[in-house]
């Protein structure tokens, strides 16, 4: 038996490679046929630019808006990066100087996005800062900051960003200057930053144990002279770094304001004065070239296959089971690549501006073989935030079966006030619990034989197939 398993392990890579090549050739061939047969019935197709007489799938509103605004976004962020780096280089600005610089730069950006509604952002941010300063050293801190931020989150949604007329008719004219983007949608990210600032300041006033020396010994980046993100986040900052100017620059920092990735206050404030030195100029350039390459992949995908147009048009429901599987698998990969490009675009400009943020989507979605792996690697910076500010304060792994209900309920409310999102959150918890139980049981078993190792690997493959199939259903409904 052992000899058979060892023989199979030698042949398995070649078999898998052949299998992947055959399957993807068939998928591509069949998708091209479907796109040609149903082209006249698909919604959201526009004249393309890659191939003669081609049509480009811009049926996804989020991707269409992002793609259409790329030229102006790139021009604006390039200007911001040049100004910020020039101020730092020629004026030798420290943390507070750079904070003020980024406040001025970012408020000009917010004035365009939100117009007069920028006032709401500044007022709520100021109220949160005062609240943190009052309660940070008391035992009521967690209760106070969570009640305030959840209250703001809910009210923003209920009142749809508040009309100025509710404060009196003399202010009603300001409703004509609400900018180009709804402020209360972007403010969900500001809520996360306000909570991060509050907890990092609260912990700075306590004796939190972080063994920096042991971390440096174990971390390759820190050992080689750099500073990794974990060290930036976990080490304590001097209390004077928690000034209002640094706090406000963190909340409205332009490159990460619209979509993240989400960075903790400690990590942001640490880099205002001294960049993390994780990325050299060559690395940032390579990061940008990889982004351009990925952008071309999604352009080719949208010009040839029109996956999302099938989903938006509802035509996939009339297809055969195999064709339906191919299209929904394509939709899932389109969604992954779309968010991959959006998040990495903003992170790229943050890197150019001297602030390193956590990477979202560090792993391809096709390489996530369970729900936990998917959640850790989809919106990875948000997962880090949830772990640091909710999961660990609630008890961590000791109470993990209760923590996931709190976490996913917050995730649903944070996204929007809809019962279907709450239902989704609670269903996710129900699916999560059996997986957590199974992983706990498996972790106690020691795989010692070659056949046991093979069985374990094949079970992971089955779990991966089930996970991908479930995600295909979720993204297509």
């Amino acid at each position: 038996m052992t000899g058979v398993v060892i023989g199979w392990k030698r042949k398995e890579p070649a078999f898998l490679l052949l299998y992947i090549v055959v399957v993807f050739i068939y998928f591509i061939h069949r998708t091209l046929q479907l796109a040609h047969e149903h082209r006249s019935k698909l919604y959201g197709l526009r004249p393309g630019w890659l191939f003669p007489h081609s049509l480009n799938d811009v049926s996804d509103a989020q991707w269409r808006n992002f793609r259409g605004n790329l030229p102006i976004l790139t021009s604006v962020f390039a200007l911001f990066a040049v100004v910020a780096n020039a101020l730092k280089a020629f004026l030798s600005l420290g943390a507070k100087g750079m904070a003020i610089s980024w406040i001025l730069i970012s408020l000009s950006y917010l004035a365009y996005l939100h117009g007069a509604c920028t006032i709401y952002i500044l007022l709520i941010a100021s109220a949160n800062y005062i609240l943190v300063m009052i309660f940070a050293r008391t035992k009521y801190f967690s209760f106070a900051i969570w009640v305030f931020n959840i209250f703001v989150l809910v009210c923003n949604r209920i009142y749809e960003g508040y009309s100025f007329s509710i404060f009196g008719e003399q202010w009603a004219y300001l409703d004509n200057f609400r900018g180009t983007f709804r402020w209360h949608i972007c403010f969900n990210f500001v809520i996360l930053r306000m909570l991060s600032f509050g907890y990092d300041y609260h912990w700075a006033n306590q004796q939190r144990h972080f063994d920096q020396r042991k971390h440096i010994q174990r971390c390759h980046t820190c050992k080689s002279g750099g500073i990794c993100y974990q060290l930036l986040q976990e080490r304590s900052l001097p209390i004077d770094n928690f000034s209002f100017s640094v706090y406000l620059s963190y909340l409205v920092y332009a490159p990460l304001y619209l979509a993240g990735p989400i960075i903790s206050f400690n990590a942001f404030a640490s880099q205002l004065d001294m960049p993390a030195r994780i990325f050299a100029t060559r690395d940032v350039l390579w990061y940008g070239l990889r982004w351009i390459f990925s952008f071309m992949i999604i352009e080719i995908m949208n010009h040839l296959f029109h996956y999302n147009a099938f989903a938006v048009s509802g035509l996939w429901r009339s297809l055969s089971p195999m064709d339906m599987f191919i299209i929904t698998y394509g939709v899932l990969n389109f969604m992954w690549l779309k968010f991959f490009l959006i998040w990495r675009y903003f992170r790229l400009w943050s890197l150019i501006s001297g602030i390193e943020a956590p990477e979202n989507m560090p792993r391809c979605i096709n390489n996530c073989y369970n729900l936990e792996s998917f959640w850790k690697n989809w919106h990875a910076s948000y997962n880090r935030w949830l772990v640091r500010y909710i999961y660990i304060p609630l008890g961590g792994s000791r109470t993990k079966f209760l923590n996931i209900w709190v976490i996913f309920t917050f995730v649903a409310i944070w996204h929007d006030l809809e019962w279907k999102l709450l239902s989704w959150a609670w269903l996710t918890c129900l699916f999560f619990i059996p997986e957590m139980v199974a992983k706990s049981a498996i972790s106690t078993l020691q795989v010692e034989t070659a056949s046991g190792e093979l069985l374990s690997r094949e079970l992971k493959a089955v779990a991966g197939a089930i996970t991908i199939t479930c995600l295909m259903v979720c993204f297509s409904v």
Side-chain angles (χ1 to χ4, degrees):
M1 181 65 180
T2 303
V4 173
V5 171
I6 294 174
W8 166 246
K9 285 182 68 176
R10 290 174 180 169
K11 298 175 183 178
E12 186 181 26
F15 171 78
L16 291 177
L17 180 62
L18 178 64
Y19 174 81
I20 290 169
V21 170
V22 170
V23 167
F24 274 91
I25 288 175
Y26 174 74
F27 274 25
I28 291 170
H29 173 70
R30 184 56 186 154
T31 306
L32 288 171
Q33 285 184 325
L34 291 170
H36 179 74
E37 292 170 4
H38 298 278
R39 183 170 294 179
S40 61
K41 304 174 187 177
L42 297 175
Y43 300 156
L45 300 185
R46 300 289 185 271
W49 63 275
L50 272 179
F51 313 109
H53 312 296
S54 62
L55 294 174
N56 187 16
D57 181 0
V58 289
S59 57
D60 184 90
Q62 190 177 36
W63 175 250
R64 183 172 63 249
N65 291 334
F66 174 74
R67 182 178 178 274
N69 285 301
L70 265 179
I72 185 66
L73 278 173
T74 302
S75 301
V76 168
F77 284 131
L79 177 62
F80 288 170
V82 168
V83 171
N85 288 323
L87 287 172
K88 188 174 184 66
F90 295 114
L91 300 181
S92 300
L93 296 179
K96 291 186 178 179
M98 286 306 300
I100 294 171
S101 300
W102 273 114
I103 288 173
L104 296 175
I105 292 170
S106 300
L107 286 181
S108 66
Y109 181 53
L110 266 64
Y112 169 76
L113 289 176
H114 307 313
C117 293
T118 305
I119 297 170
Y120 291 130
I121 297 172
L122 296 176
L123 288 174
I124 296 172
S126 300
N128 183 76
Y129 185 82
I130 293 170
L131 184 80
V132 170
M133 293 299 114
I134 292 172
F135 288 99
R137 295 178 176 86
T138 72
K139 62 182 179 181
Y140 306 108
F141 168 75
S142 291
F143 175 80
I145 196 170
W146 276 106
V147 168
F148 174 78
N149 280 275
I150 294 294
F151 176 78
V152 169
L153 187 65
V154 171
C155 287
N156 285 354
R157 289 294 180 154
I158 291 175
Y159 294 100
E160 292 293 324
Y162 315 106
S163 170
F164 282 100
S165 61
I166 66 176
F167 302 106
E169 287 302 317
Q170 67 272 28
W171 304 109
Y173 74 95
L174 290 175
D175 286 321
N176 297 320
F177 305 97
R178 298 185 72 91
T180 60
F181 207 93
R182 291 178 294 171
W183 75 273
H184 58 285
I185 303 298
C186 297
F187 202 78
N188 285 15
F189 284 98
V190 179
I191 289 283
L192 301 182
R193 296 178 194 125
M194 293 198 303
L195 286 162
S196 174
F197 169 81
Y199 269 100
D200 285 357
Y201 180 67
H202 173 64
W203 290 329
N205 286 281
Q206 298 177 343
Q207 295 296 322
R208 295 195 81 211
H209 179 68
F210 175 67
D211 195 332
Q212 184 169 324
R213 182 177 298 177
K214 183 181 291 186
H215 170 81
I216 292 174
Q217 291 173 348
R218 295 178 177 178
C219 176
H220 174 73
T221 301
C222 297
K223 192 185 298 183
S224 59
I227 304 176
C228 74
Y229 182 82
Q230 185 180 356
L231 181 58
L232 290 171
Q233 176 176 268
E234 297 298 335
R235 67 181 182 181
S236 297
L237 293 176
I239 294 299
D240 60 357
N241 278 32
F242 293 87
S243 64
F244 184 76
S245 60
V246 177
Y247 162 74
L248 188 59
S249 68
Y250 167 62
L251 296 191
V252 298
Y253 176 60
L256 303 180
Y257 175 76
L258 274 178
I262 302 159
I263 183 173
S264 71
F265 177 82
N266 275 0
F268 175 84
S270 297
Q271 296 178 82
L272 276 182
D273 193 31
M274 182 65 67
R277 302 194 305 277
I278 297 175
F279 285 84
T281 303
R282 182 182 60 184
D283 297 328
V284 175
L285 180 62
W286 178 241
Y287 191 86
L289 290 173
R290 288 172 59 197
W291 187 90
I292 294 171
F293 177 75
S294 301
F295 179 81
M296 291 305 300
I297 289 176
I298 200 171
E299 285 294 292
I300 293 170
M301 179 187 293
N302 286 338
H303 276 74
L304 293 178
F305 304 136
H306 313 322
Y307 289 122
N308 198 70
F310 274 95
V312 171
S313 306
L315 287 176
W316 64 277
R317 293 185 178 90
S318 62
L319 302 176
S320 68
M322 176 55 74
D323 290 344
M324 188 184 298
F325 180 89
I326 293 171
I327 294 299
T328 51
Y329 181 70
V331 171
L332 176 65
N333 281 272
F334 163 76
M335 289 294 179
W336 180 85
L337 191 53
K338 175 188 76 170
F339 286 114
F340 174 94
L341 285 164
I342 292 173
W343 280 325
R344 294 206 175 193
Y345 176 82
F346 291 114
R347 184 174 185 263
L348 172 62
W349 283 111
S350 185
L351 286 172
I352 294 171
S353 300
I355 301 292
E356 190 253 342
E359 185 76 272
N360 283 330
M361 295 181 161
R363 177 186 290 186
C364 178
I365 191 165
N366 297 298
N367 196 26
C368 296
Y369 52 84
N370 55 48
L371 280 174
E372 183 180 1
S373 176
F374 167 74
W375 284 113
K376 281 184 177 180
N377 292 284
W378 181 266
H379 200 168
S381 64
Y382 190 26
N383 180 73
R384 280 177 178 251
W385 188 95
L386 292 168
V387 170
R388 178 171 170 81
Y389 299 109
I390 300 181
Y391 183 74
I392 293 176
L394 286 177
S397 58
R398 292 183 292 106
T399 53
K400 61 183 179 182
F401 292 105
L402 295 176
N403 292 349
I404 60 168
W405 295 91
V406 178
I407 289 171
F408 277 100
T409 299
F410 173 76
V411 169
I413 295 172
W414 181 78
H415 277 91
D416 206 347
L417 291 178
E418 293 184 5
W419 280 110
K420 68 177 182 180
L421 282 174
L422 284 172
S423 301
W424 161 83
W426 296 332
L427 277 174
T428 301
C429 293
L430 288 176
F431 285 118
F432 237 122
I433 289 175
E435 180 179 298
M436 292 165 68
V437 172
K439 288 179 71 175
S440 297
I442 292 172
S443 64
T444 61
L445 301 175
Q446 298 294 325
V447 178
E448 297 178 351
T449 62
S451 56
E453 184 183 341
L454 175 64
L455 177 62
S456 174
R457 190 166 64 253
E458 296 304 319
L459 287 175
K460 286 181 179 180
V462 171
I466 294 172
T467 300
I468 295 296
T469 304
C470 291
L471 291 174
M472 286 162 53
V473 173
C474 292
F475 277 95
S476 301
V477 173

